[in-house]
Amino acid sequence: MKLTMPHFDQASVLVVGDVMLDRYWHGGTSRISPEAPVPVVKVEEMEDRPGGAANVALNIAALGAAATLIGVTGEDEAASSLRAKLQNVGIKTQFQTIKDQPTIVKLRVMSRHQQLLRMDFEEPFRTDTGAIAASVELQLDGVKVLVLSDYGKGALQNHQELVQLALKKGITVLADPKGKDFSIYRGASLITPNLSEFEAIVGRCHSDEELVTKGLKLVADLELGALLVTRSENGMSLLRPEHPPLHLAAKAREVFDVTGAGDTVISTLAACLAAGEPLENAVALANLAASIVVGKLGTAAISAPELRRAIHREAGSQSGALELDQLLLAVEDARAHGEKIVFTNGCFDILHAGHVTYLEQARAQGDRLVLAVNDDASVSRLKGPERPINSVDRRMAVLAGLGAVDWVVSFSEDTPENLLKAIRPDVLVKGGDYTVDQVVGADIVRAYGGEVRVLGLVENSSTTAIVNKIRKQ
């Protein structure tokens, strides 16, 4: 499965569910309390993060998609903090406020990156379901995906009404389910229970085959479009009628904290589907996103650059010889991290000291060096029918091994102008006795504000001279 970065700027998602504030108190511990055998934490930092459905909306916005959030809060300081943090990142919020009930707050006491204590401040909300439905109906126009983020805290009580409102408008419905009655999500496009939630409904699964059988029966019974079971260290399983099961292995390199991982999965799925990605790709991207977030402390969102870099790593295009589509992804990722892209090109038929020195000088002009290499037919047209000495795959393999070179790509034309238009490097570098105006592609690069630089050549270093010397001997 080939993954690319979705166009999240074209995605719009409505999230409805249980919003909460995740509050963290951080501090050091150096002694045990004289009052009880517990550590004393000297609180040095207090941090608020959106949690629950608010974390889902935050993850969607962090990927670059448009997010609207509908939920229920109290009328208190926690609600104000939550609203401010969400609106600061461009999330539209519509909170039903209930004066005599507290906003749900989960307070975690942390020391040395370890959670020592969690305290929950909550009561099930007496939600006005009619007002929630009316708000949802007003916000559905222009939305591509509706997410029901259900933590069982009372904001969602009329699940079927909300599902049907969206389906009537042709809007995809995703649900992160809770409880022991999944019939309330009947007709949803996709639900995303974790394994324990799934087994609480269908019973213990002792094998992948049993999970698939029970999962497909649940899909049929509830008229679901699909079922995605998240399985912790065993990855994810996507089940759909008339499709083979898709089992994806977990991608996490190191699990630090699983808090909010389910939120990341459903938010990435929603943003990807709203951006037009096929379901298989959306699930694979959600799997990658989950691998990132479990390496973070506490409730966290992943950013578009983080996901892009994971896609880049998954494609195996961190360095070396690449196809053009891989290279464009690598360049996009580098730019997202503020890196300057340098481009140069040539035949590089027999690598010599002059080439190595020149490429080191070119690499010094920025952060990443793209080296474009003429393919064999192009070299023959430029150098004569007896060239190249080395085929393009061998030339690229040698060049990719140089420390100065980040990426190598081949081209078949006589000039790299089409590559320059696609890559749009920040700096175009050429070696030799040229003026800047004589460098092929200089006009293209300067037209979009890039730089063109000419570097000198190392004396007495030439592939042609090497070939002639060998022939004479």
Side-chain angles (χ1 to χ4, degrees):
M1 185 184 303
K2 183 179 178 181
L3 300 179
T4 58
M5 191 68 174
H7 297 288
F8 289 123
D9 57 344
Q10 300 174 13
S12 57
V13 181
L14 173 61
V15 180
V16 185
D18 297 298
V19 300
M20 55 193 75
L21 185 68
D22 285 341
R23 182 159 279 169
Y24 294 84
W25 288 359
H26 301 269
T29 55
S30 59
R31 62 193 180 95
I32 300 297
S33 171
E35 302 165 358
V38 295
V40 175
V41 179
K42 183 179 183 299
V43 177
E44 297 163 341
E45 180 186 357
M46 292 180 284
E47 179 185 15
D48 287 351
R49 300 182 189 179
N55 186 43
V56 174
L58 185 64
N59 270 270
I60 291 167
L63 290 172
T68 301
L69 175 62
I70 295 175
V72 184
T73 69
E75 195 172 89
D76 49 22
E77 173 271 335
S80 298
S81 176
L82 189 56
R83 187 179 290 105
K85 288 189 174 296
L86 293 167
Q87 292 178 350
N88 284 343
V89 294
I91 297 171
K92 292 171 59 179
T93 59
Q94 287 198 357
F95 292 161
Q96 183 181 127
T97 57
I98 301 178
K99 292 183 179 180
D100 58 347
Q101 288 188 252
T103 299
I104 297 172
V105 175
K106 297 184 182 298
L107 171 61
R108 297 170 176 91
V109 180
M110 314 290 295
S111 183
R112 299 176 183 175
H113 303 295
Q114 296 293 323
Q115 185 178 145
L116 301 182
L117 178 67
R118 189 178 108 174
M119 294 176 283
D120 291 359
F121 303 86
E122 64 178 74
E123 297 174 18
F125 278 111
R126 299 187 299 276
T127 304
D128 182 341
T129 57
I132 291 288
S135 295
V136 169
E137 190 168 19
L138 285 173
Q139 294 298 325
L140 283 177
D141 288 338
V143 165
K144 297 179 180 177
V145 175
L146 169 66
V147 175
L148 302 181
S149 181
D150 193 356
Y151 277 79
K153 306 300 183 183
L156 287 172
Q157 298 180 25
N158 52 338
H159 304 73
Q160 269 301 293
E161 182 179 7
L162 303 183
V163 169
Q164 295 307 318
L165 281 173
L167 292 179
K168 286 177 183 177
K169 291 179 176 285
I171 294 169
T172 298
V173 180
L174 309 185
D176 187 1
K178 288 292 181 292
K180 295 185 178 181
D181 179 13
F182 280 11
S183 66
I184 57 179
Y185 310 106
R186 180 179 300 277
S189 310
L190 174 71
I191 64 173
T192 62
N194 61 37
L195 183 60
S196 62
E197 292 165 341
F198 174 70
E199 289 184 331
I201 300 296
V202 303
R204 179 86 175 183
C205 297
H206 297 92
S207 66
D208 286 355
E209 292 75 15
E210 189 174 0
L211 182 145
V212 170
T213 300
K214 291 182 175 180
L216 288 175
K217 184 179 186 304
L218 184 66
V219 169
D221 290 346
L222 300 184
E223 302 172 350
L224 302 173
L227 167 70
L228 179 67
V229 182
T230 58
R231 305 170 62 187
S232 188
E233 70 276 6
N234 292 316
M236 301 178 178
S237 295
L238 176 65
L239 307 176
R240 294 169 292 171
E242 300 180 2
H243 285 80
L246 176 62
H247 300 293
L248 296 178
K251 298 289 184 181
R253 296 180 176 182
E254 181 179 357
V255 177
F256 191 77
D257 190 341
V258 297
T259 304
D263 296 339
T264 298
V265 169
I266 198 166
S267 59
T268 307
L269 278 170
C272 289
L273 293 172
E277 288 292 314
L279 179 57
E280 297 92 337
N281 289 22
V283 170
L285 289 166
N287 195 34
L288 275 182
S291 75
I292 299 169
V293 80
V294 296
K296 299 186 176 188
L297 176 65
T299 308
I302 71 160
S303 65
E306 286 176 303
L307 181 59
R308 186 184 294 109
R309 179 146 288 187
I311 295 170
H312 176 201
R313 184 176 61 245
E314 188 74 4
S317 55
Q318 289 179 285
S319 62
L322 309 179
E323 297 296 329
L324 179 57
D325 56 351
Q326 290 179 308
L327 175 61
L328 294 178
L329 182 62
V331 168
E332 183 182 8
D333 174 70
R335 281 211 173 93
H337 287 78
E339 295 174 338
K340 181 185 285 189
I341 308 300
V342 182
F343 180 102
T344 193
N345 64 280
C347 298
F348 298 93
D349 193 1
I350 297 178
L351 192 66
H352 53 69
H355 289 143
V356 175
T357 300
Y358 167 69
L359 293 173
E360 289 174 347
Q361 293 173 348
R363 178 65 166 74
Q365 308 304 308
D367 301 300
R368 296 279 191 167
L369 177 60
V370 177
L371 176 53
V373 180
N374 296 75
D375 72 1
D376 295 344
S378 176
V379 173
S380 295
R381 290 193 300 270
L382 294 170
K383 301 291 186 179
E386 295 182 346
R387 301 281 295 276
I389 304 299
N390 291 298
S391 62
V392 66
D393 57 330
R394 294 186 175 185
R395 287 182 280 134
M396 292 176 70
V398 172
L399 291 163
L402 297 178
V405 178
D406 290 288
W407 303 300
V408 185
V409 65
S410 67
F411 63 101
S412 58
E413 301 89 353
D414 291 343
T415 73
E417 290 183 335
N418 287 334
L419 276 180
L420 289 169
K421 291 174 182 177
I423 297 169
R424 294 172 65 89
D426 300 292
V427 184
L428 169 60
V429 173
K430 196 67 180 173
D433 298 327
Y434 297 94
T435 64
V436 169
D437 292 332
Q438 293 173 325
V439 174
V440 173
D443 54 336
I444 296 171
V445 175
R446 290 191 295 186
Y448 61 73
E451 300 178 68
V452 181
R453 299 175 187 172
V454 175
L455 307 179
L457 288 178
V458 176
E459 296 295 330
N460 302 317
S461 294
S462 162
T463 299
T464 301
I466 292 171
V467 171
N468 290 337
K469 183 176 181 180
I470 292 171
R471 285 173 174 166
K472 287 179 182 178
Q473 291 178 342

